[in-house]
Amino acid sequence: HGGSNGVAKMISEGVGDHWVFGGVVNLTPFGMVMMHTEFSGGADGPARVGTDTFSAQWTVPGTEGKESILGFYKGQSMGLVTQWMYPSRNGKVVRRGCHVEAARGFVSAKHASKPLPHLPVPIYPKAQGVVHEMLTAAVADGPLSGDAVVEWSPKGERSVVTVRDFDALVVT
C-alpha cells in the first residue's frame, strides 16, 4: 500500500531526481513486469516502470486489467504507471487539464456518475477536448485503469478514453 499510505511519497521526497513507485504488488514472478518507456527518467517520466495488473484481480475481485502502482517524483504523486506505459500519439503523458485532439477515430464510453451499461461514444478525427480527470484515485484499496475522462468541444460531452486508446490522442 506504499502508494496510498505515504511511504512512497516520503522516500520520493528524500531521493531527489529519482522515481519511486508504490502500490500493491504480487511478490511472485507471475505478476510483476518491468517495461521500458520512451521517457528520460527525469521530470518528463520514468525510463522504466513496473506493472502488476495480474495482482489487482486477486487483491480486489472484478478489477482485471486494472493497475495499483503509483509513481512519485520529488515527493509528488504523478499518477498510475499506465500513463507512461501508454503515452499519447506525440509521446506526451495524458494528464488532467491537458488539451487533446483525436489523431484518428475511435470509440470511447459515455462518462456517467453511476454505473451504466457501456454506452459507446464515437470520437472522430480532429475532435478536440480537455482531460477533465484521470481515473487514478485510491488505487491501493481499489485498483483503477488510469483512463481519462475527456470533455469534448463544443458540446461539453464527457467520455472515458481508455489508456489503450491514448495513442489516438495528440496532447496539444
Side-chain angles (χ1 to χ4, degrees):
H1 294 277
S4 63
N5 68 6
V7 172
K9 180 182 186 318
M10 178 188 67
I11 292 171
S12 173
E13 290 170 344
V15 296
D17 288 337
H18 298 282
W19 284 83
V20 175
F21 299 93
V24 178
V25 297
N26 187 335
L27 297 178
T28 69
F30 302 112
M32 194 70 169
V33 176
M34 293 300 293
M35 299 177 66
H36 290 276
T37 71
E38 301 173 12
F39 302 98
S40 71
D44 65 328
R48 287 176 302 284
V49 295
T51 180
D52 187 13
T53 57
F54 177 79
S55 293
Q57 66 184 326
W58 301 110
T59 307
V60 181
T63 59
E64 293 81 11
K66 305 286 174 101
E67 185 61 73
S68 63
I69 301 176
L70 290 169
F72 291 83
Y73 185 74
K74 292 187 175 182
Q76 297 294 313
S77 174
M78 304 303 282
L80 288 174
V81 296
T82 52
Q83 293 179 106
W84 300 285
M85 292 166 47
Y86 303 102
S88 67
R89 169 77 49 108
N90 58 339
K92 295 185 179 178
V93 174
V94 177
R95 289 199 171 108
R96 181 181 179 186
C98 69
H99 293 259
V100 294
E101 180 176 291
R104 62 171 170 79
F106 63 97
V107 177
S108 64
K110 177 83 174 157
H111 180 255
S113 57
K114 297 178 184 176
L116 293 172
H118 179 77
L119 300 173
V121 176
I123 305 299
Y124 299 100
K126 302 289 185 192
Q128 296 183 349
V130 176
V131 178
H132 179 70
E133 68 178 298
M134 300 297 295
L135 301 179
T136 60
V139 294
D141 300 321
L144 294 170
S145 59
D147 297 342
V149 177
V150 177
E151 186 170 314
W152 299 99
S153 301
K155 295 180 184 177
E157 182 176 75
R158 291 183 184 170
S159 70
V160 178
V161 178
T162 68
V163 292
R164 296 194 190 280
D165 282 325
F166 283 2
D167 70 335
L169 300 175
V170 173
V171 175
T172 57

